[in-house]
Amino acid sequence: MCPATLLNEIARQGFLDALEIMLLIEVIERQNHGRIAGRLSDRGAGAAGIVVRNSLITRITVLVARCYARIHEGNGDMNLRRAFDEFLKQDQIRCDLKTAGTLGDIETAERLWSEALVDPNLKQIEHFRHKHTAHLAEPTPGMKNPDYGDFFAFARRTARIMEALAHGVGGTRETLDDHADDFVMSSQEFWRPWDPMA
């Protein structure tokens, strides 16, 4: 595939991943709402609830961490790093984006990307992925796992990078916010048996 086609595919998949990240977070936050966890435990389903939560966290970890993984030469990587570190540095691609009038979205994506790369939460998420999720290894001394608030905030920022990239390459004008109400309704319906007040 030519670089422009690969960049478009990375942006398309990235936006789909961003939608999934936002829904996963909504489902976890809804589970932590009110008495859902308590009701699961009361009915003997607490262990299943923990497994579901852990699975959701693992999926977010994988979706977020793979964006920042280093590029493996010759392996056909399709992650965000390749988009930013390889394709968006090519003069022809930047010229095409300027002509298409989407360079402003690309510049927003690049700014958000640069900020994410120096965010200390990235190292914690990568460490969690490498030592507790995708692999099982002895943790690095002194490296703590991210707390929920920081983890979700970083995941949301990563989703916004994916959104800006998708807008920049012209793959979609949809926004994550366009789907926010659907995500709330979906998570409410999913947990409704355990949250009758929803």
Side-chain angles (χ1 to χ4, degrees):
M1 271 192 246
C2 74
T5 302
L6 285 169
L7 177 60
N8 281 314
E9 181 56 26
I10 290 169
R12 184 194 69 77
Q13 184 60 53
F15 188 70
L16 295 175
D17 288 352
L19 291 169
E20 185 176 350
I21 287 167
M22 299 301 275
L23 179 54
L24 287 161
I25 292 170
E26 184 64 37
V27 172
I28 294 171
E29 288 183 335
R30 176 63 52 186
Q31 182 185 13
N32 292 331
H33 175 78
R35 284 261 314 129
I36 292 173
R39 286 189 183 99
L40 284 164
S41 292
D42 294 347
R43 298 280 307 274
I50 291 169
V51 168
V52 168
R53 183 204 59 218
N54 290 348
S55 298
L56 298 171
I57 290 168
T58 298
R59 181 66 177 158
I60 295 171
T61 302
V62 169
L63 288 173
V64 170
R66 74 181 182 190
C67 293
Y68 302 95
R70 65 184 177 89
I71 301 168
H72 297 87
E73 292 294 325
N75 286 348
D77 287 348
M78 302 284 290
N79 65 355
L80 282 189
R81 182 175 293 281
R82 189 168 186 204
F84 288 104
D85 289 0
E86 184 178 325
F87 298 135
L88 291 176
K89 295 197 182 311
Q90 296 180 17
D91 291 337
Q92 184 59 54
I93 287 178
R94 291 198 80 83
C95 182
D96 292 345
L97 294 169
K98 186 175 183 181
T99 302
T102 59
L103 201 51
D105 291 313
I106 291 298
E107 289 168 351
T108 297
E110 289 174 322
R111 178 182 53 77
L112 295 171
W113 175 256
S114 294
E115 291 170 2
L117 291 178
V118 297
D119 187 322
N121 291 303
L122 174 58
K123 291 217 179 300
Q124 289 180 339
I125 290 167
E126 289 175 326
H127 181 264
F128 183 72
R129 183 242 182 237
H130 298 328
K131 304 294 185 174
H132 302 287
T133 304
H135 308 286
L136 185 59
E138 194 172 309
T140 302
M143 178 66 77
K144 66 177 189 140
N145 290 329
D147 64 36
Y148 278 123
D150 293 338
F151 176 59
F152 290 160
F154 189 86
R156 285 183 173 110
R157 284 195 300 278
T158 299
R160 293 298 177 181
I161 297 168
M162 296 168 169
E163 175 185 50
L165 180 65
H167 291 172
V169 301
T172 186
R173 290 314 296 172
E174 278 182 83
T175 68
L176 297 174
D177 294 338
D178 291 340
H179 298 274
D181 290 342
D182 296 334
F183 293 160
V184 169
M185 184 186 315
S186 181
S187 66
Q188 284 175 339
E189 288 304 313
F190 181 79
W191 290 116
R192 185 176 300 281
W194 306 103
D195 187 16
M197 301 304 288

